[in-house]
Amino acid sequence: MNAPNSRLPLRCWAEIDLAALERNLRLIRASLPAHIRYVAVVKADAYGHGLHQTVARLMHSGADLFAVATLAEATAVRELGPGWPVLLLSPLLPEEDHYLADYDLAATVSTADEVQRFDAVGRAAGRPVAVHLKIDTGMGRLGVWHEQAPALYAQIAASPHLRLAGVFTHFASPDDDSAFTEEQRRRFLAALARCEGIKLSELFVHADNSSGLETMPGASPFNAVRVGLLQFGILPHPNSLLAQVHTEPVLSFRTRVGITKTLPRGTTVSYGRTHTLTRDTVIAVLCAGYGDGIPRSVSNRAQVLIAGQRCPVLGRVTMDQTIVDVTGVPGVKCGDEVVLVGRQDGAEISVSEFSRWADTIPWETLCSVSKRVPRLYRTALGV
Ligand SMILES: Cc1ncc(COP(=O)(O)O)c(C=O)c1O
């Protein structure tokens, strides 16, 4: 396991199993038809897993393209691997445009204004800028509205300093509305059918993210998938057909016990006095709070693992400490390891379970593990 920058003892940390990430990518690939290319979505610091380490491992494991949100992320990926296509999923600000040429990045195009701006960048650089045309089929966010997509495509095709590298759309409810997902696919394919002269086989044609994958049609022009959550070993929703793809969690989130003490029945615990002890209770004060990424919304709801046993959170999570009930776990002491998300002695708390306590989704939980939390990387390939 790699040491973090600091040599100080760990109080709260995330362990990232890069070998599991690699196995996940291979499993997902194996579950898809061989011609489907793998777009690794690594925005938001690779969903909190650490951009550099994650991307380096995914390059080694055979990702075909990296999708990011910001220019900073895009340039970081470019510096790691000159050969890989990098797609910016978010719009660029005008003063960011020239980086497309400087760093050989592909831009998402939704508007005629972007076509003109990126064409000007290609002209100034003396080589075409790569773009992916995004088509809004019902997400109502980025992309040209599907009915207007053929006109925007024609503008791109007529721009000498642009190179169309891909076309894509994004599903609004792939996890719980298959009828609307199908409608979005239909709109996308209908729009492409009206793009005169488009050569889909030469482009990345992509729509499916971790949820959409399960409704992906067999024979169709789709030839790439954009995978974020699933590569980190988390199913997008509990009834996912992808449960058959046995990916494993890549990240675990851990802290340690600061102090233990016994408090008498009737004592209230933490800010706001939202929990009153119903018996004499042994509490453990943990070395992590919302400053580390344990959201306040899990107050009085979450559980943690200590010695493989579930211990309930008592009262409100505070910035640097969280209080749990360890009455049922004899011998807990200062320094003991605590699992917030992950496995310990045969027990497990998944990101999904933790997210339900927080009334949020796994994507947000992963992105919320704060900068204060060092990431430790396991690198062995394993079996
Ligand atoms: C445009 C786009 N494509 C793909 C993804 C990846 O989605 P998932 O993490 O569900 O695989 C995202 C994630 O937010 C996204 O915004």
Side-chain angles (χ1 to χ4, degrees):
M1 193 181 299
N2 291 342
N5 290 341
S6 164
R7 300 181 75 83
L8 297 174
L10 295 164
R11 302 172 64 81
C12 177
W13 70 101
E15 279 179 31
I16 317 288
D17 186 345
L18 293 171
L21 175 70
E22 178 160 352
R23 288 193 291 273
N24 289 346
L25 184 145
R26 292 186 195 289
L27 282 168
I28 298 166
R29 282 205 98 121
S31 75
L32 293 167
H35 71 284
I36 300 290
R37 285 179 287 176
Y38 191 99
V39 178
V41 181
V42 290
K43 57 203 172 97
D45 201 27
Y47 291 42
H49 292 66
L51 186 82
H52 285 87
Q53 291 81 355
T54 302
V55 167
R57 192 61 176 235
L58 290 172
M59 283 177 172
H60 169 79
S61 319
D64 296 300
L65 186 154
F66 289 93
V68 294
T70 69
L71 195 55
E73 293 167 352
T75 56
V77 176
R78 171 56 65 240
E79 275 158 12
L80 278 168
W84 264 270
V86 180
L87 169 63
L88 266 157
L89 293 169
S90 302
L92 283 143
L93 301 171
E95 59 269 38
E96 294 177 329
D97 289 355
H98 68 90
Y99 289 95
L100 291 174
D102 301 347
Y103 280 86
D104 186 20
L105 308 172
T108 292
V109 166
S110 310
T111 68
D113 171 57
E114 289 171 329
V115 170
Q116 281 175 12
R117 279 165 43 200
F118 303 156
D119 187 65
V121 171
R123 187 172 56 239
R127 64 195 147 81
V129 164
V131 294
H132 286 227
L133 171 63
K134 185 159 190 182
I135 302 178
D136 183 354
T137 53
M139 173 69 184
R141 193 174 62 174
L142 297 179
V144 58
W145 184 242
H146 60 100
E147 288 160 352
Q148 289 132 28
L152 194 62
Y153 164 73
Q155 287 178 39
I156 296 171
S159 300
H161 309 294
L162 294 183
R163 178 177 64 83
L164 185 66
V167 282
F168 71 114
T169 191
H170 192 49
F171 297 135
S173 293
D175 44 349
D176 59 8
D177 193 341
S178 55
F180 191 66
T181 305
E182 286 309 322
E183 174 60 14
Q184 286 192 265
R185 277 190 206 283
R186 195 198 60 70
R187 291 175 179 178
F188 182 66
L189 296 175
L192 293 180
R194 292 196 296 121
C195 293
E196 250 171 62
I198 196 165
K199 296 197 176 81
L200 292 178
S201 61
E202 294 174 11
L203 306 177
F204 277 87
V205 183
H206 46 117
D208 296 85
N209 62 349
S210 299
S211 296
L213 280 176
E214 49 201 83
T215 60
M216 186 154 174
S220 74
F222 294 106
N223 61 22
V225 292
R226 294 191 307 276
V227 184
L229 195 72
L230 189 63
Q231 69 196 345
F232 299 113
I234 301 150
L235 290 178
H237 55 95
N239 302 322
S240 173
L241 297 180
L242 290 166
Q244 299 144 9
V245 183
H246 292 291
T247 57
E248 0 162 14
V250 171
L251 176 143
S252 68
F253 188 21
R254 291 163 196 266
T255 184
R256 298 175 76 188
V257 172
I259 67 161
T260 61
K261 65 180 179 185
T262 303
L263 288 174
R265 176 171 176 261
T267 306
T268 59
V269 177
S270 193
Y271 289 127
R273 310 182 67 209
T274 59
H275 183 84
T276 305
L277 300 178
T278 55
R279 54 172 185 183
D280 292 354
T281 302
V282 186
I283 64 158
V285 181
L286 312 182
C287 298
Y290 61 76
D292 303 278
I294 306 176
R296 206 162 161 271
S297 49
V298 307
S299 300
N300 287 311
R301 298 177 75 173
Q303 298 170 355
V304 304
L305 298 175
I306 301 179
Q309 295 199 52
R310 286 180 174 246
C311 306
V313 168
L314 302 177
R316 290 207 176 129
V317 174
T318 68
M319 186 184 288
D320 313 299
Q321 281 101 33
T322 301
I323 301 138
V324 297
D325 183 344
V326 292
T327 312
V329 191
V332 177
K333 59 183 185 316
C334 176
D336 283 357
E337 187 171 308
V338 179
V339 169
L340 303 163
V341 169
R343 295 180 179 140
Q344 190 185 54
D345 297 345
E348 179 171 10
I349 292 174
S350 68
V351 177
S352 302
E353 184 176 22
F354 185 89
S355 305
R356 283 192 293 278
W357 288 323
D359 273 335
T360 188
I361 52 174
W363 294 261
E364 188 179 30
T365 297
L366 292 173
C367 290
S368 303
V369 177
S370 79
K371 264 168 67 177
R372 174 159 94 176
V373 176
R375 272 63 170 173
L376 266 67
Y377 292 93
R378 285 181 188 279
T379 54
L381 198 56
V383 258

